[in-house]
Amino acid sequence: MHIPDMVLSPPVAVGCLALSGLGLAHCARRLRDAHGDRTPILMGTVAACVFVAQMVNFPLPFAPVSGHLLGGVLAAAIVGPWAGACVIALVLAVQCLVFADGGLLAYGANVLNMGLVGSVLGYAVYDALRRAIGGPRGVVVGGMVAAWFSVILAAAAFSLQYALSRGTADFLPVLGAMLLVHAAIGLGEALITGLSLRYLLATRPDLLAENLRGSDQHRPGTAPAPAPVPVLRFAAAGLALCVAVAVLLVPFASEHPDGFEFVGQRLGFLDGDETGWANAPVPDYELALGPLPSLGAAATAAGLLGTVLVFAFGIVIARGTLLAADALGLAAPNPNPNPERDRETANDSDGKPDVA
Amino acid sequence: MWLDILEPADIPDSPPARLDPRVKLLALLAFVLALSLWPLDKPRGLLLPALILAFLVGWAGVEIPALLRRALAVLPVILFLAVMIAWTDPRRPQLGWLPLFLAILAKNLLAVLAVLAVARVTPFRHTVRALRDLGLPNVFVCALQSMIRSVAILLDELDRLLKARRCRAFGKSPARDWRIGAGVLGALFIRSLERSERVHAAMLARGFDGTPRALEDPRLP
């Protein structure tokens, strides 16, 4: 699954190197804030653990093949998303420089796909599900779903890079082939991640990321403060899921007319001139970009654009509603119905619960 | 296995092997970049880099069979992708599928052989040192050094865990039952996290302040 050398064109490879360099720099900065001078040792040891774990082959119960763990979501669940991405980058660096498993120029793309997209976005999915379901079951289910999605998203990212290298007419066939294979691989990854998380919960639940981070700021004698609901992480997870759905399922959407259109054509009231007084920017969900000739690709692009636009509009409207409510003097509802938290915020100077 | 590959005990003592590791890394990068920029429809131009690589490999004293065996291990991925690229290339009708496939395969093989040859004559600690001199942040340098030392320890740990599992599992093994494998993985994670805390405390007690230090200096005087 590591991209070898002559697959991506040099501009795409160098661009991915630049992007992943920026991403890793950001991760390193976040790590230093979270773990201080323990960071390099922690990263190195967990990277060694992931490297060794990748050597162990498991038989997959549903197929006569053996899979091996990638480990992005598992590492992120234990040490956090930023450390998880750096850990994957370290493992990939050793594999690239010592074993030539993964091209030298393609290193940036590999880190981008498996470390940044796989680990960080996977952690967003894991965290959102973990909070939504709650408890140990949330951790395991969240971990499994996030692991599957991390593999799928990494494969989709590679398909995008491949299409940019070779000509975007190849995007959908490559995407289809990659996703088919990696959906099966993702199941193995999900299974292994879920079982490992369950084992960790049973033996050392204090080692999972939220607890690991909290222990650095824990002052003896006080109860650890329950964290506020991180809106940004929910949003990132939701966006990742919507993008995955848009990219995966939209090309397979049926081209038959939907119910209303069918009735309209039958009864004749949809036969008239459909041009209104203004032209829609993306008529009938077909984004007419030059290098995307096929209908499926156009639909996918339109679906992606629509998802992002709806998401942006949703944020704007939500923020606008909150601002309007504040202006009109209506109290904002408490997003965290935790009695301990309420008691704490009652002593805050402004009395409002803070939402991250 | 790990230590033999990372820190080979019998590095051939030849001028290319004694080069500053920064020179080796940058030359490798330039070689791979030049290979990837070469157009696919002029495969005869690949003879020059192949000859240069063969000369350097011979001069450095790298053992050829071992080199080829390790290159073969990473071949399957590029085979599949090369088929896909050659099939969808717009020049396929006039050039034919096979020449394109062979050209991609040759380019990738040359790049892989170059990387493996450099890895054979460079102990990994020198490579890490070279990366640090070329500007890699200290966090990653220390993490790499910590990682390559921890892998050897963790491989021993994995051996012990698997042996204990075999003793208690009545014939089942991680190769046959995935539940056991996941338990081994989880135990490995726990032990490595605890070990990282102990190592960090020990390093702090000996004056570690985040900057990587080493006794030897592989740079040219």
Side-chain angles (χ1 to χ4, degrees), chain B:
Chain B
M1 183 267 292
W2 173 256
L3 278 176
D4 285 336
I5 295 179
L6 267 195
E7 311 279 336
D10 52 348
I11 294 181
D13 188 28
S14 53
R18 280 193 296 256
L19 271 180
D20 189 330
R22 282 176 296 177
V23 172
K24 283 191 263 191
L25 267 185
L26 290 174
L28 181 65
L29 199 62
F31 184 77
V32 173
L33 188 63
L35 269 181
S36 71
L37 286 173
W38 190 259
L40 273 183
D41 48 2
K42 298 197 193 62
R44 262 177 269 241
L46 293 176
L47 275 176
L48 183 60
L51 281 173
I52 296 177
L53 185 64
F55 172 69
L56 285 173
V57 164
W59 189 19
V62 179
E63 301 86 4
I64 306 289
L67 190 70
L68 289 176
R69 229 178 308 135
R70 293 177 63 191
L72 233 58
V74 297
L75 210 53
V77 187
I78 188 61
L79 279 177
F80 172 66
L81 283 168
V83 170
M84 200 161 58
I85 297 174
W87 198 261
T88 56
D89 195 282
R91 291 164 293 196
R92 179 168 71 94
Q94 77 244 51
L95 287 177
W97 165 83
L98 196 60
L100 284 172
F101 170 74
L102 289 175
I104 299 170
L105 205 59
K107 283 168 65 167
N108 184 268
L109 210 59
L110 285 176
V112 163
L113 285 171
V115 170
L116 287 174
V118 169
R120 173 72 182 93
V121 296
T122 318
F124 195 65
R125 60 184 189 279
H126 289 183
T127 312
V128 174
R129 183 65 191 262
L131 286 171
R132 169 188 162 201
D133 293 334
L134 289 171
L136 193 67
N138 271 342
V139 187
F140 293 112
V141 173
C142 283
L144 269 176
Q145 288 174 337
S146 158
M147 173 184 173
I148 60 185
R149 286 159 176 82
S150 307
V151 171
I153 300 174
L154 283 176
L155 279 174
D156 288 340
E157 195 75 65
L158 183 69
D159 253 344
R160 285 194 288 267
L161 281 170
L162 289 177
K163 203 179 298 183
R165 259 297 139 196
R166 267 199 305 272
C167 294
R168 295 174 174 83
F170 297 108
K172 290 189 279 194
S173 70
R176 254 175 277 162
D177 189 345
W178 34 271
R179 283 177 297 230
I180 296 180
V184 167
L185 252 189
L188 204 63
F189 260 103
I190 294 174
R191 290 187 190 198
S192 67
L193 279 171
E194 292 173 346
R195 187 180 295 275
S196 86
E197 286 184 27
R198 289 196 298 268
V199 167
H200 175 67
M203 288 173 81
L204 280 182
R206 287 160 177 79
F208 179 63
D209 58 358
T211 47
R213 293 169 210 279
L215 279 178
E216 57 173 358
D217 191 344
R219 289 178 293 184
L220 291 174

Side-chain angles (χ1 to χ4, degrees), chain A residues 335-348:
Chain A
N336 199 342
N338 190 333
E340 261 182 33
R341 178 79 189 156
D342 285 342
R343 235 182 292 124
E344 276 183 54
T345 56
N347 298 328
D348 283 351

Side-chain angles (χ1 to χ4, degrees), chain A residues 151-163 167-183 243-252 296-297 299-301 304, chain B residues 80 84:
Chain A
V151 172
I152 292 291
L153 285 172
F158 167 67
S159 307
L160 192 65
Q161 289 152 359
Y162 182 87
T168 40
D170 299 333
F171 178 55
L172 278 185
V174 171
L175 186 68
M178 292 287 296
L179 290 180
L180 204 61
V181 173
H182 285 87
V243 165
V245 167
V247 168
L248 298 184
L249 294 183
V250 161
F252 302 109
T300 300
L304 259 175
Chain B
F80 172 66
M84 200 161 58

